[in-house]
Amino acid sequence: MRIGKGGEMDGFASAVGALAPALLLAAAALGMRCGASRRVALAAASVCCAVLAVFGGTATDALRAASAACVPASLVLLAVNAVLQFRQRGVAVLSVLPLMLAAAVALALLAPSVAGASCSGAARRAAKLLAAEALWFCVSLSAFSLGTWALRGLEPSRPPYRFIVVPGAALFGTRPCPLLETRLDRALDLWSQGGGAPAIVVSGGQGADEEVSEAAAMRSYLEGRGVPPMSILDEDRSATTEENLRCSKRVMDAAAGGVPYRAAIATSEFHAPRCMGYARRFGVDADAAPARSARASWARSVVREFLAVTAGNWWPYAAILLVWVAGVAF
């Protein structure tokens, strides 16, 4: 297998396919606590797959087939997501976006065939670049979806915790939506397991279309289920996931008074990787405590969450472009 002027993107598509299983494992660990030994193992797996991609063989063909299976899986997931969004919101941007993405991915994957032999060499190479980018989109979406699904019911590994952070979500009037209720119920489980010792940090401000802050609604829900008011800490200024974690850290630091602490983040399984990523960025010693969201809620939310994660991890698409440029130039 060779990346050269005649078949640079065919070779790179093979490399993407060969790397898919290792990247799938890495995506499953994305945002989770990942010790040095696991990082070394993931790096070694990636290197081994890269070697297979270069030297070819039966194993590479099997890995390429695995990455090819990600294409229909991703398109089906986007279609299901669109149907669920239409049912919830009617015709809206979030309803149409999954269908637009599915159409764009399908067209990009078909671009080399459409370009054909009649187009110039530059056009054919550009079409193969689009196909490689689309293939990576499918591989990473499948990996992220599988990884978040595997997090359902994951138990945090290092209790006891000083704090339990609950990131906010939408409200129905002054009540948490069902998705937010699953996060709060997960926090209640951890709080009970800790003998009522951890403090629960409810994190979320008041949106323009909300009657109360998300923190206030969450406090009311928890108090109604027996959590003493003094065991709940309010963080009612944040508006995004990043702000949830940054502002919650300030609240926990103030409450801890300079004493080191560990925290658990009780949130939806699809939301856990991004929350843990922000926790690490802000220096919070935290473990994920994923809540089991309803299957429809997961399918409706996972694509949006994937796009949010992708926005902060755009470098694989840039790497594909750089490899393509290197293949054209050399």
Side-chain angles (χ1 to χ4, degrees), residues 168-280:
L171 303 180
F172 288 170
T174 59
R175 289 179 49 81
C177 69
L179 181 68
L180 184 51
E181 287 183 354
T182 64
R183 299 180 184 181
L184 292 166
D185 291 340
R186 187 73 177 98
L188 280 169
D189 289 341
L190 291 174
W191 181 77
S192 299
Q193 292 170 19
I200 303 178
V201 181
V202 288
S203 178
Q206 182 175 354
D209 58 345
E210 293 176 332
E211 299 179 32
V212 297
S213 70
E214 293 166 9
M218 289 191 280
R219 170 180 279 277
S220 178
Y221 183 92
L222 293 172
E223 289 181 355
R225 282 152 183 77
V227 181
M230 65 190 67
S231 294
I232 305 172
L233 301 176
D234 297 295
E235 185 290 292
D236 58 2
R237 305 183 68 178
S238 58
T240 65
T241 297
E242 182 177 2
E243 291 177 0
N244 284 152
L245 273 298
R246 184 172 61 240
C247 296
S248 292
K249 182 182 186 300
R250 294 172 184 164
V251 171
M252 292 186 288
D253 287 349
V259 178
Y261 60 85
R262 289 200 305 270
I265 302 176
T267 191
S268 310
E269 68 275 72
F270 58 82
H271 196 223
R274 191 153 57 107
C275 287
M276 289 302 297
Y278 287 133
R280 283 205 310 272

Side-chain angles (χ1 to χ4, degrees), residues 1-323:
M1 182 181 303
R2 183 175 67 88
I3 298 180
K5 290 184 180 293
E8 66 279 356
M9 293 316 301
D10 290 332
F12 187 74
S14 299
V16 171
L19 287 170
L23 293 169
L24 227 154
L25 291 173
L30 178 65
M32 302 291 97
R33 291 196 65 84
C34 188
S37 60
R38 186 176 297 179
R39 287 197 297 270
V40 170
L42 288 172
S46 297
V47 170
C48 289
C49 288
V51 171
L52 285 172
V54 172
F55 291 103
T58 304
T60 301
D61 293 337
L63 296 173
R64 289 180 65 186
S67 68
C70 294
V71 173
S74 299
L75 295 179
V76 168
L77 179 59
L78 289 170
V80 170
N81 185 270
V83 170
L84 293 173
Q85 295 288 359
F86 274 120
R87 287 181 177 177
Q88 183 184 33
R89 295 182 170 86
V91 179
V93 173
L94 287 178
S95 306
V96 177
L97 181 59
L99 291 179
M100 294 176 62
L101 280 175
V105 168
L107 289 174
L109 289 169
L110 292 172
S113 299
V114 173
S118 59
C119 294
S120 65
R124 290 196 300 273
R125 287 193 292 270
K128 290 178 180 180
L129 170 62
L130 287 175
E133 297 281 14
L135 177 61
W136 172 247
F137 178 89
C138 293
V139 169
S140 55
L141 174 56
S142 298
F144 181 82
S145 302
L146 181 60
T148 58
W149 185 265
L151 295 177
R152 295 168 66 86
L154 176 72
E155 290 295 329
S157 58
R158 302 182 303 151
Y161 298 100
R162 176 76 181 273
F163 301 101
I164 302 168
V165 180
V166 188
L171 303 180
F172 288 170
T174 59
R175 289 179 49 81
C177 69
L179 181 68
L180 184 51
E181 287 183 354
T182 64
R183 299 180 184 181
L184 292 166
D185 291 340
R186 187 73 177 98
L188 280 169
D189 289 341
L190 291 174
W191 181 77
S192 299
Q193 292 170 19
I200 303 178
V201 181
V202 288
S203 178
Q206 182 175 354
D209 58 345
E210 293 176 332
E211 299 179 32
V212 297
S213 70
E214 293 166 9
M218 289 191 280
R219 170 180 279 277
S220 178
Y221 183 92
L222 293 172
E223 289 181 355
R225 282 152 183 77
V227 181
M230 65 190 67
S231 294
I232 305 172
L233 301 176
D234 297 295
E235 185 290 292
D236 58 2
R237 305 183 68 178
S238 58
T240 65
T241 297
E242 182 177 2
E243 291 177 0
N244 284 152
L245 273 298
R246 184 172 61 240
C247 296
S248 292
K249 182 182 186 300
R250 294 172 184 164
V251 171
M252 292 186 288
D253 287 349
V259 178
Y261 60 85
R262 289 200 305 270
I265 302 176
T267 191
S268 310
E269 68 275 72
F270 58 82
H271 196 223
R274 191 153 57 107
C275 287
M276 289 302 297
Y278 287 133
R280 283 205 310 272
R281 180 190 300 179
F282 300 137
V284 179
D285 184 9
D287 292 337
R292 286 178 176 267
S293 57
R295 292 181 180 179
S297 296
W298 176 87
R300 189 169 52 243
S301 303
V302 70
V303 172
R304 181 179 59 190
E305 188 65 23
F306 167 74
L307 294 177
V309 170
T310 300
N313 296 273
W314 50 266
W315 56 267
Y317 296 94
I320 291 172
L321 176 61
L322 290 175
V323 171

